[in-house]
Amino acid sequence: MTIDCPTRNAQTCQDRFAYTDSWSRLNRHVELIPMGWQRLYSDLRFTLAVISTKKRCTIEIAGAWEEDGLLQVQSDTTDRVVQGVLRKARVRAMHTCMECGKPGKQRELDEWRQATLCGSCAGPRLLALEIARLIALERCGSVDLRKELQSSPSARLVRAAAESAALACNLPATFVLEKLGRKGQLRWLERLKERAQQESLE
Ligand SMILES: [Zn+2]
């Protein structure tokens, strides 16, 4: 698709190409956009091409990329239609899993990273992080692992994962992670963490 804009003449008015230049940049940025957002990002570029008019040729659009699970694409134009199109894309991204495109929400993966993910894509990541946290706390002596596995609400996820892993390797139904000795628990946690990390990369 091509978009409507006057012939380039850099000497008279460079800004008259702001819209086409922005649109070309958005096209080049496809690779910076997560897989799960490709559909909405393509809709965004299509709509911007459809609404392109001579009147809008000086509008500049900044972006686009992903940051902390949010789509970064904006403009300081007062044109309500362009602002509406950009806002709609940002809102769609806020509710769309970056990995698979299913409905998702912004989740905190750790202190310095957020991502917009659906439950299935977030599960293995959150599990791996929770296990890593438990192992680290246990190693520095801050928690009693057995107690933590019994009482901490977030450890429910870990216990459930351990039970399903035990079932998968045909361990007796009486297997309970919290009842293993310290070494056995740590061994299990390491294995579960590796499994979850592997799953989150698939
Ligand atoms: Zn997903």
Side-chain angles (χ1 to χ4, degrees), residues 96-104 116-122:
T96 305
C97 176
M98 290 160 46
E99 302 264 320
C100 71
K102 287 185 189 156
T116 298
L117 296 167
C118 70
S120 327
C121 294

Side-chain angles (χ1 to χ4, degrees), residues 139-186:
R139 292 222 163 116
C140 66
S142 314
V143 294
D144 175 344
L145 198 50
R146 190 176 295 198
K147 226 189 244 168
E148 189 69 13
L149 280 170
Q150 270 166 351
S151 57
S152 142
S154 55
R156 205 179 305 150
L157 192 68
V158 182
R159 292 202 305 267
E163 275 154 33
S164 88
L167 265 179
C169 39
N170 287 325
L171 281 177
T174 47
F175 169 84
V176 181
L177 181 64
E178 313 88 279
K179 291 196 176 155
L180 295 179
R182 178 180 173 270
K183 274 192 181 163
Q185 282 180 338
L186 278 176

Side-chain angles (χ1 to χ4, degrees), residues 30-188:
V30 165
E31 286 176 11
L32 302 179
I33 303 301
M35 276 311 291
W37 288 356
Q38 287 295 328
R39 173 96 184 260
L40 69 92
Y41 192 60
S42 144
D43 290 348
L44 166 68
R45 287 173 295 134
F46 179 79
T47 312
L48 287 174
V50 169
I51 63 166
S52 161
T53 58
K54 282 183 184 155
K55 182 176 80 129
R56 295 196 169 110
C57 71
T58 56
I59 295 175
E60 198 173 333
I61 297 163
W65 60 85
E66 176 271 326
E67 197 175 308
D68 279 335
L70 300 174
L71 176 66
Q72 303 293 331
V73 62
Q74 44 260 315
S75 172
D76 47 21
T77 177
T78 53
D79 186 302
R80 285 188 184 179
V81 176
V82 173
Q83 286 295 8
V85 170
L86 300 182
R87 189 169 49 247
K88 191 176 159 196
R90 290 194 301 263
V91 171
R92 263 180 86 183
M94 268 170 73
H95 301 288
T96 305
C97 176
M98 290 160 46
E99 302 264 320
C100 71
K102 287 185 189 156
K105 63 175 187 177
Q106 204 184 18
R107 297 166 196 269
E108 205 161 308
L109 293 184
D110 50 47
E111 276 170 35
W112 56 86
R113 169 127 179 91
Q114 292 186 313
T116 298
L117 296 167
C118 70
S120 327
C121 294
R125 280 180 178 74
L126 295 174
L127 177 63
L129 284 167
E130 178 57 22
I131 297 174
R133 186 188 72 88
L134 279 176
I135 294 174
L137 285 176
E138 203 279 340
R139 292 222 163 116
C140 66
S142 314
V143 294
D144 175 344
L145 198 50
R146 190 176 295 198
K147 226 189 244 168
E148 189 69 13
L149 280 170
Q150 270 166 351
S151 57
S152 142
S154 55
R156 205 179 305 150
L157 192 68
V158 182
R159 292 202 305 267
E163 275 154 33
S164 88
L167 265 179
C169 39
N170 287 325
L171 281 177
T174 47
F175 169 84
V176 181
L177 181 64
E178 313 88 279
K179 291 196 176 155
L180 295 179
R182 178 180 173 270
K183 274 192 181 163
Q185 282 180 338
L186 278 176
R187 213 170 30 239
W188 260 90

